[in-house]
Amino acid sequence: MNPLQRIVVAGASTATALVLLFGYHTSTMGALVTAAESPSASTTTSGATAAPAAGAAGAAGGTDPSATRTVTGPTVQTQWGPVQVQLTLKGGTITDVSVLQKPSGNPQDDAINSYALPILVRETLGRQSAQIDMVSGATVTSVGYLQSLQSALDQAGV
């Protein structure tokens, strides 16, 4: 084989390897969501059961700016399953973040989310906004989390 043919074969092999690498999906199954599942039966990142907020304005219902209230973001449908965030606020401060829905259905999703969601929650509490970094290796979940989080913050007027 002459040098030009070797270069062409090497280039084609590299291109093929890159296409295969970027085309590989890390999760082999999408989320298995059934009609029986509901946000009220979902778990938070701490493993406790969370109840959905009573409306977008939360449980406060009044005009007291120091009252504790909850705001639930919308369910964001991602490639691997739904993501939904619920915030607990006291005044304009986020005091707790619960993840009501997250991609699940296979061990890969569970492993990724058990690592990524606590990081996203910690960053949200630390920065008090949706201006946080996504978690490497959990891009799809991070995007869904950020969308639901930003919508909940908008509803709360924060």
Side-chain angles (χ1 to χ4, degrees), residues 24-29 103-114 137:
Y24 178 74
H25 296 286
T26 58
S27 181
T28 57
M29 295 175 53
S104 62
N106 65 63
Q108 182 86 20
D109 288 338
D110 295 337
I112 289 170
N113 291 325
S114 68

Side-chain angles (χ1 to χ4, degrees), residues 3 13 19 72 75 91-92 128:
S13 297
V19 167
T72 303
T75 301
Q128 293 290 304

Side-chain angles (χ1 to χ4, degrees), residues 36-44 47-52 84 99-101:
E37 292 183 23
S38 70
S40 62
S42 298
T43 58
T44 65
T49 301
Q84 185 178 32
V99 180
L100 302 180
Q101 294 187 64

Side-chain angles (χ1 to χ4, degrees), residues 88-150:
T88 302
L89 300 109
K90 182 165 178 96
T93 303
I94 303 168
T95 58
D96 189 36
V97 180
S98 299
V99 180
L100 302 180
Q101 294 187 64
K102 60 188 175 190
S104 62
N106 65 63
Q108 182 86 20
D109 288 338
D110 295 337
I112 289 170
N113 291 325
S114 68
Y115 167 74
L117 291 172
I119 293 170
L120 293 168
V121 168
R122 185 174 55 244
E123 288 293 311
T124 302
L125 292 170
R127 296 214 181 159
Q128 293 290 304
S129 76
Q131 300 300 314
I132 61 174
D133 294 329
M134 292 193 295
V135 176
S136 178
T139 304
V140 172
T141 298
S142 295
V143 168
Y145 176 94
L146 290 171
Q147 288 176 357
S148 186
L149 173 63
Q150 184 60 61

